Every structure is written in structure tokens, then in C-alpha cells.
Amino acid sequence: MQQHPIGNAGELQQQADSSHPVLTTQQGIPIADNQNSLTQGNRGPSLLEDFILREKITHFDHERIPERVVHARGSAAHGHFTLTESLQQYTTAKVLTEVGKQVPVFARFSTVAGGAGSVDTPRDVRGFAVKFYTEEGNWDLVGNNIPVFFIQDAMKFPDLVHAVKMEPDRAFPQAATAHDTFWDFISLMPESMHMVMWIMSDRTLPRSLRMMEGFGIHSFRLLSASGKSTFVKFHWRPQLGMQSTVWDEALKLQSADNDYHRRDLFDSIQCGAFPCWDLCVQLFDEEQAAMLPFDHLDPTKIIPEELIPLKRIGELVLDRWPDNFFAETEQVAFCPANVPPGIDFSNDPLLQGRLFSYLDTQLLRLGGPNFAQLPINAPQCPFANHQRDGHMQQAVPSGRVSYEPSSLQTDSPRASQASGFTHFAQATPEGSKARLRPESFADHYSQARMFYQSQSRVEQSHMASAMVFELSKVQTAHVREAMVSHLLVIDEDLGRRVAKGLGMQQLPRAAEPAMPVQDLDPSPATCIIDRM
Ligand code: HEM
């Protein structure tokens, strides 16, 4: 058995030996005693001179960094992506053209509303963010487990998040949508109705992170070698199938284990049952986009698979738990603007706002402009630029040249027209500069109805019960009524069921849609790809 010296007062003094290296300060000064502060005499006051105590406490005091403003609670894992079908016809991105090559990835799953210490199982959207360390730089596919979003324009994101997070005066609820400010905002934003239908479905009560679908949501572009653009929507399909709990189970899990999803992901990886997803795409061009009965640039709309079928192109496997939660899961910085050459953005106004927001917030959260040097964020391909200095700079470049053009140094980095990123040469849209919502974004109810009516009777009754539960927590009568008036447009029977569940004596008047609600017919006969 190991022998430990005992200090003056009988405390354990573990000491370095052949298998335990010497404990040091950050400066490398060896520490003799890790139990006692320096004091003036026996039982005397502690001395300011004790640089070992000060360094230890100071570092501890600074251990917490700001948590993410949204998606603060997350669990992540390492793995790899393997392409099974090349998209060479559509894109030059090697990650989407080199079949069979394993690309390392880091995937982080999250809840949205709660803080970093909140529970795993509330009714909430789940983030599904994947960083691909490709040979042409990092590609971040920053999606959710629901294929649409609440709002159409990034201008409304701070309002949405302020409405869903805990209320500023009372600081609750910490991780739930069942409160007045959330439903007040939603009831005044008809564009959120489609997403609300998904939130009230069992999709927001995943059985496991391994059993969630994932979606890139926006239309992105793929660019071919000849500069041709094809729109693409990204989908993750869990190989275990999509599975949910019901509300009662979620509540029991919440009281039994706050870390239910994190533990499940950890356990499954530890025992070799690696979570796997198929990566699928929907591909379409401008002409096909024009045939859709809605605008694909509107992130509150899906493209039904009956109209544009999914094509499976690869597989994601998560097989390694992070070595350190803080260094990796906390410090990872995803950003939808991180795309390799061959992938580009669409004009979706929500995506356009996101392209700015993530880097901006990470400059604050991760303490300055050098967070891309953190091992979890650094590319795993060669990289070089002329950026220098700044807070927490880790690199020690040599030489005089940190600018371009230059003639003083033969190995300084330069741009490459042959392999560099180029944007799609989109013609400038006509029209004057203005703050306008496109008319093609005005249909807020048709897809909400399509989703509700696509559910089985059991699923529909779960949704009705969820709405009764959520809205019964709302104390403001006119907010409850406003919500029921939207539900009456989406599906009259649903509106009536919820009104009855809330004990309303009288049905409110149905909301007035900005444009007539369409009964969409997503049947194989309407497939757009086949018609081309
Ligand atoms: C974080 C998804 C819309 C701002 C995240 C994360 C995900 C995500 C998955 C967590 C990433 C991680 O695990 O670290 C989405 C999706 C959206 C959306 C799918 C809509 C389709 C927006 C919009 C904005 C925004 C419109 C702002 C204009 C942020 C910010 C963070 C974040 C500031 C925190 C990032 C960090 O601290 O690293 N989002 N988001 N998001 N999102 Fe979004």
C-alpha cells in the first residue's frame, strides 16, 4: 500500500514519486506543500506573499467563461464521416466528392433555452451541430432536430430568444416554453406556427440523442467546377430510427436523471454501440425551386420529400468521447459561415444573419480573436494567414512579413485562384434598397396544417395535450385566446380540443391569414424531380 507523509496537523501530504510527477505552478515552480497556505506563525494570518495560493485561487476564480447565449447545455462526441456517393456533378467540395475517404468530425447536441446546468429532457428543440475537419478547411453544418425555424428573418432572433428564455424579472422558467412571454411572442408571430406544430409534437422529447433526426434547415448552394449552382438541403437520418418518449416518460426521466441524454451518449460510445446517421440531401435547381408552391428561401418551410426525394450520400459515426468536456464540448465554436470551396450560401435572410452572429458571439464567449487556435477549433489541414497578435495568441511565427503583397520572404502565404473559395456569381437582384418581407413568405399556415394532418391520431392527441399543458401555464387570457385563434386556422378540430382543454367558455374568432391556406398535396404524383 502507498505510504503518504502526514503533516504537522495530521493532514495527508501526498508526494511525487517515480509515477507521480512533481506538482508545479503555472511558471513551473515545484510545490512542496499543496495543503497549507503560508501564514505568519502558528495560527497566524495568511500572507499576501503566498504566490502559490494566489495563483491557485485566481485561476479557479476565472474557471467559468460566459455560456452560450443559446444552446448552452450540450453533449458532444468525436467521430468520422464517410462519403458513399459522390456529388461531383454538383460540387467541387472534396468532402462531398471523395467517396470512401474518412473525414474526422466533432458533433455537439444541445437544448436551446436552458443554461449549461439545466436538464436534458425538457420539451425543446435540440441543436445538431457537426464540424467536419476537411482537407479544404472546416465545414460546420449547424442544424437542429426540426427542419424549420420559428422566424423568417434574423432581425427577430434576439426577440425570439428573449421571449423563450427565463423571464427577466423572475428568472424562471429556466428551460421551458410553458410561460407567458414565449406564447405572447409566438401568438403575435404567425410565421412561427409551423415550427410550433413541430415543437408540440413528440419530436421535442427525443428518446436519445442517437435517435434524433438533424436538419441544415436553410437551402445552401453547391457549386460545380464550371460554376453551376444547385440548391441543397441537408438531412441527418439516425440509423436507429427516430424515436421519442411521451410526456409522462420525459417528466419521470427528468426527475430521475438530469443527465439522461448525456449519460446515454457516453454509455453507448463506451460500450461500442456507436451512434450512426445517414447524411441525405435534397438537390434542386432554380427552375425546380420555381415550381414549389412556397418559397424555399423561407426557413419556416420544408420541401416535402414527395416533391424532392432524399438522396443518401454518406454516413456519420460517433465513436470517441471527448477527453475533456471544457476544452472540447464547451470551447468548440460552430459557425454556419464555415464552408469549404464548393459549398455556398443562399439568400435565406435567417441564414444571412447567422453568418454574422456566430463569430461575433464567439469573440466574446471565447475571449478574443484567436479562439480558432484552440485544438478543437483548429483546422486539421495546413493553414496560414497574416493575422497576428491579439488576446491569447498561441502561435509564435518567425520572420518579418505579416502582410501581402510582399517580396521579403519567400514562404509567406498567398491567395490561390486555382483552389481558393469563390462565391456563386449571382446576378444582383433588382429593386430598391428596403426593409421588406417577400410576399412569397406570406403563407404561414398551410405547412402547419400539412404537418398536423400528417400525424397519426395518437400523435395528434399528444400534440393537443401538449398545447393544453403549455397554454394552461400561461396566465394572460388574451394570449391563450390568440393561440387558439391560430390553431382554429391550422385545424379546426385541434383548436376546439385545445379550447375545451383550457376550459374556454367561448371559442375565440379564428385568426385571419395574410393569404388563403392551401391544402398541400405531398403525394408521389407531385414529385418535381420526376417531372423534369
Ligand atoms: C448556437 C442552430 C438560428 C445565433 C447555435 C447552436 C446550434 C444552432 C445547433 C449550438 C452550436 C453548438 O453546439 O455550439 C441554429 C439553427 C438556426 C439558428 C438551426 C436556424 C435555422 C440562429 C440565428 C441566430 C443564431 C438566426 C442569430 C442571428 C446563435 C448564437 C449561438 C447559436 C449566438 C451561440 C453560439 C456560440 O456561443 O458558440 N445555433 N441557430 N442562431 N446560435 Fe443558432
Side-chain angles (χ1 to χ4, degrees):
M1 210 179 91
Q2 228 182 350
Q3 295 297 316
H4 300 294
I6 303 294
N8 291 343
E11 80 279 15
L12 199 63
Q13 289 272 4
Q14 289 188 326
Q15 293 285 296
D17 57 22
S18 56
S19 57
H20 295 90
V22 176
L23 184 71
T24 74
T25 65
Q26 285 179 341
Q27 307 300 328
I29 313 294
I31 294 172
D33 180 337
N34 191 33
Q35 319 302 323
N36 301 296
S37 1
L38 187 68
T39 55
Q40 177 59 50
N42 193 15
R43 304 178 63 236
S46 299
L47 296 179
L48 189 59
E49 182 189 331
D50 187 351
F51 65 92
I52 295 178
L53 174 72
R54 276 189 287 114
E55 184 194 271
K56 188 173 181 179
I57 300 276
T58 307
H59 193 276
F60 167 77
D61 292 343
H62 293 249
E63 270 177 11
R64 289 283 88 81
I65 60 172
E67 63 178 34
R68 290 166 177 80
V69 59
V70 283
H71 296 264
R73 180 167 178 86
S75 305
H78 293 272
H80 55 267
F81 171 73
T82 314
L83 191 73
T84 51
E85 185 156 346
S86 173
L87 294 183
Q88 195 161 19
Q89 189 187 341
Y90 306 100
T91 178
T92 56
K94 291 189 178 160
V95 62
L96 297 178
T97 55
E98 292 185 341
V99 170
K101 187 172 172 194
Q102 281 200 357
V103 175
V105 302
F106 188 68
R108 183 175 182 272
F109 307 100
S110 46
T111 54
V112 178
S118 59
V119 298
D120 273 350
T121 42
R123 179 180 293 284
D124 197 357
V125 183
R126 299 303 190 282
F128 193 130
V130 182
K131 191 180 280 294
F132 301 72
Y133 302 91
T134 89
E135 61 183 286
E136 299 173 294
N138 291 349
W139 174 32
D140 293 352
L141 187 50
V142 196
N144 282 339
N145 74 331
I146 289 184
V148 287
F149 203 64
F150 287 104
I151 49 172
Q152 297 173 322
D153 193 308
M155 184 68 123
K156 298 309 297 169
F157 191 69
D159 299 290
L160 166 70
V161 174
H162 290 174
V164 72
K165 285 251 182 189
M166 64 188 189
E167 300 187 16
D169 56 352
R170 59 208 68 185
F172 63 81
Q174 292 193 44
T177 48
H179 61 123
D180 287 46
T181 59
F182 175 73
W183 289 102
D184 182 30
F185 178 78
I186 293 299
S187 67
L188 295 168
M189 295 286 291
E191 70 200 54
S192 64
M193 288 308 137
H194 186 197
M195 175 87 167
V196 165
M197 289 292 114
W198 287 75
I199 303 255
M200 292 298 114
S201 79
D202 297 339
R203 296 239 174 188
T204 42
L205 306 173
R207 159 78 181 75
S208 154
L209 300 172
R210 300 174 287 144
M211 299 166 195
M212 289 192 324
E213 293 188 340
F215 302 92
I217 301 183
H218 316 281
S219 296
F220 286 83
R221 286 179 190 278
L222 299 179
L223 297 186
S224 73
S226 65
K228 184 177 178 297
S229 153
T230 305
F231 289 117
V232 59
K233 286 209 180 233
F234 294 104
H235 299 243
W236 293 110
R237 285 291 165 93
Q239 291 184 1
L240 291 173
M242 200 203 60
Q243 300 180 42
S244 300
T245 62
V246 293
W247 181 236
D248 286 359
E249 288 172 317
L251 292 181
K252 284 178 189 145
L253 289 171
Q254 183 165 324
S255 54
D257 184 0
N258 288 348
D259 305 304
Y260 180 69
H261 284 149
R262 182 174 292 174
R263 192 187 310 280
D264 170 80
L265 189 63
F266 180 88
D267 287 347
S268 63
I269 291 173
Q270 292 306 101
C271 76
F274 300 137
C276 303
W277 284 263
D278 290 334
L279 179 62
C280 304
V281 290
Q282 285 177 301
L283 298 166
F284 54 105
D285 60 21
E286 291 277 6
E287 267 177 51
Q288 290 161 332
M291 294 165 68
L292 295 167
F294 48 83
D295 194 332
H296 74 102
L297 296 182
D298 170 358
T300 69
K301 303 293 184 294
I302 59 163
I303 302 184
E305 289 164 36
E306 291 81 359
L307 301 188
I308 299 182
L310 295 194
K311 184 185 181 71
R312 180 185 183 276
I313 59 163
E315 184 188 58
L316 167 71
V317 179
L318 298 182
D319 57 5
R320 185 162 63 84
W321 192 254
D323 289 326
N324 184 273
F325 183 85
F326 180 81
E328 301 178 275
T329 309
E330 275 309 275
Q331 293 200 122
V332 67
F334 295 95
C335 176
N338 295 345
V339 290
I343 303 180
D344 197 1
F345 316 113
S346 71
N347 292 346
D348 175 337
L350 193 71
L351 174 60
Q352 293 282 321
R354 294 181 73 197
L355 300 180
F356 165 74
S357 181
Y358 290 69
L359 172 58
D360 181 42
T361 197
Q362 286 151 6
L363 288 170
L364 170 71
R365 182 167 74 80
L366 299 168
N370 291 314
F371 64 83
Q373 296 177 7
L374 293 167
I376 195 66
N377 295 322
Q380 295 184 16
C381 61
F383 58 99
N385 56 53
H386 297 293
Q387 294 164 9
R388 70 181 213 192
D389 307 344
H391 203 59
M392 301 308 290
Q393 176 61 259
Q394 307 287 308
V396 189
S398 58
R400 300 163 75 188
V401 169
S402 57
Y403 55 88
E404 191 274 343
S406 69
S407 62
L408 298 185
Q409 200 171 307
T410 50
D411 61 354
S412 74
R414 293 180 177 176
S416 158
Q417 292 227 328
S419 63
F421 186 93
T422 46
H423 294 268
F424 175 57
Q426 194 187 6
T428 318
E430 284 178 12
S432 45
K433 204 189 295 177
R435 294 186 188 277
L436 287 177
R437 195 65 67 93
E439 280 171 26
S440 54
F441 282 28
D443 179 4
H444 303 316
Y445 297 93
S446 302
Q447 289 212 353
R449 175 180 293 180
M450 180 178 75
F451 177 72
Y452 179 71
Q453 293 182 352
S454 73
Q455 301 293 290
S456 69
R457 288 183 72 80
V458 173
E459 289 165 327
Q460 286 183 347
S461 69
H462 288 176
M463 291 171 71
S465 306
M467 285 195 224
V468 171
F469 172 82
E470 292 270 324
L471 291 169
S472 69
K473 305 288 174 204
V474 171
Q475 285 158 12
T476 319
H478 76 254
V479 173
R480 290 196 299 267
E481 282 163 19
M483 268 319 297
V484 171
S485 70
H486 290 296
L487 298 180
L488 287 168
V489 180
I490 294 167
D491 184 277
E492 197 181 324
D493 179 53
L494 173 65
R496 286 179 180 278
R497 280 167 86 168
V498 174
K500 190 169 167 213
L502 291 172
M504 283 183 185
Q505 303 298 319
Q506 235 187 334
L507 267 189
R509 271 220 335 253
E512 285 174 23
M515 63 183 280
V517 186
Q518 306 175 58
D519 279 315
L520 298 170
D521 169 27
S523 65
T526 53
C527 182
I528 283 177
I529 294 292
D530 285 349
R531 273 201 256 156
M532 293 298 289

